[in-house]
Structure formats: C-alpha cells, structure tokens
Amino acid sequence: MAGTVGIGRRGVLAAGALAAVAACAPASRKADSEKGRKKEDSGQGGEKDKVRTDPVPLERRFTLLGPLSDVHWLGISLGEDSRMSVPGPIDVRVVGVARLEVGTGAAVVAVPQRDFRPGQPARVPKKLAAFLPEGAAWVRSEAFNQEVTGGRYTGEFYVDAGADRVYFDTVDPSVAASTGP
C-alpha cells in the first residue's frame, strides 16, 4: 500500500507541474506578441536587423532635419539576447543614413552657434555601409546633436552639406517636440 501511495503522490506532483507549465504557456505567447507590438511601435520593426526604408518614424523623431528621402536605417535591440539580463525595457539603437531636402544640409551647417567640425561616423553597421556615399564630407556638432535630441536620448548626427545627406546613430530616440532647420 505504501508503494501505491508513493506512485500516486508522484503522479499528483507530475500532474501539478504539467498544469503549472501549461498555465504559463499562453501568458508567454501573449507576452511575446506584446513584445513584438512594442518593437514595431518603437520603430524597430518585426525583423531583427532588417534595413528599413520608411522615413516616417525618423521624421517624427528628427524634426530638425525636415523631410527625408532615400532612407536606409536599422533598429537594433541592445542587450536583448542576454539570458542573464533582468527583464525590462530594451534599448534600441536607431542608426542610418538619409537624403535631406535640397539646401537643408547647408542651412543646418551654416548656423554659427552649432560649430560643426569634420568627423567620421564610427561603428557603422555592415548592413548600412553600402548606403553611405563615397567621399562624403561629414561634419558633426555637439550643439546640433543636443538640439536634435533635446537631451532626451543620446545621438550623433553627421551632415554632408554638399550632398544634403545625414548619418545618424542614436539610442532610444523619442518623438521630437521641436521643428524647423
């Protein structure tokens, strides 16, 4: 009789464990689908490291640059693949290159208080390297970086005034409140 009670107890424990796992599965799928929606809302998109060409998420965040065209950018999750990380918000690196409206590059660089200086983008993702113009005369400005980000997130902006191009590398860019070149 003691052997039957032991098997029964094990069976009950096993059934309880299975029930607990089954109860967690739908919640996990729901969390995954919500996570996917949050990625799309953040401008990251659904596919990991896919080069995007839609300007709207960028124009909403970088209003000082004006309308953008010929856009190529990535939304890269930072720290998402770590199994040791604590659950919580994921930082997203938004990096890319775009064409500015004719004359916007020169107008942006012409503001003396911005003090643009020559500089080269660092850490360009391989998937974007082919979209950077050859021989670009990049300039950058800490003051302009601060104007675009409003101090709400980190970001670097490189402008090629002659070609009306911009290269941007930001983390968690939020929708901007400012407008104009």
Side-chain angles (χ1 to χ4, degrees), residues 107-117 140-147 181:
V108 164
V109 173
V111 177
Q113 297 85 346
R114 291 179 176 155
D115 193 30
F116 275 89
R117 304 286 174 136
R140 63 179 303 280
S141 160
E142 287 299 323
F144 185 67
N145 292 344
Q146 194 64 23
E147 276 183 70

Side-chain angles (χ1 to χ4, degrees), residues 48-53 71-74 127-128 131:
K48 186 175 176 100
D49 295 339
K50 178 184 175 195
V51 176
R52 295 185 59 177
T53 58
V71 177
H72 296 90
W73 62 282
L74 296 169
K127 289 185 176 187
L128 290 178
F131 300 107

